[in-house]
Amino acid sequence: MQVSDIEEKILSKIFGGDIRKWRIGLTNDLRDRYGRWRETENQELLNWEAWEADSLSDAQAVEARFIRKGMKGGTGGNLSASLPTFVYIFD
């Protein structure tokens, strides 16, 4: 999915809500990442949603934009550009 499409989906998901309550992240493995947030970080993962980006750089652009807007998260991580990359959000 292209940057603009993912950004549109995120904006639709959080419409009318406080962007600062949401968290954004990237992963190559959704099941593992969901499990880590759920088990290790003890998060409830309300409103979890994820989209596959066309590339790692597209996913990083989306993540950076929403972090600048006040969404929780951090850039970085050990992701592979040769694997599918997902952008996920939850509150």
Side-chain angles (χ1 to χ4, degrees), residues 45-89:
L45 303 179
L46 301 175
N47 297 306
W48 173 276
E49 190 81 37
W51 304 272
E52 185 176 348
D54 285 345
S55 68
L56 174 57
S57 61
D58 284 356
Q60 290 169 326
V62 171
E63 181 185 47
R65 176 177 182 216
F66 282 94
I67 289 172
R68 282 192 308 272
K69 288 182 167 285
M71 197 174 272
K72 296 175 195 168
T75 58
N78 188 18
L79 298 172
S80 172
S82 64
L83 296 172
T85 303
F86 299 88
V87 177
Y88 64 85
I89 63 169

Side-chain angles (χ1 to χ4, degrees), residues 26-44:
L26 307 179
T27 186
N28 293 130
D29 185 339
L30 276 177
R31 180 176 288 163
D32 178 69
R33 195 66 193 126
Y34 183 91
R36 285 184 190 214
W37 277 114
R38 185 92 172 133
E39 304 298 324
T40 308
E41 302 295 330
N42 200 28
Q43 297 290 316
E44 290 186 46

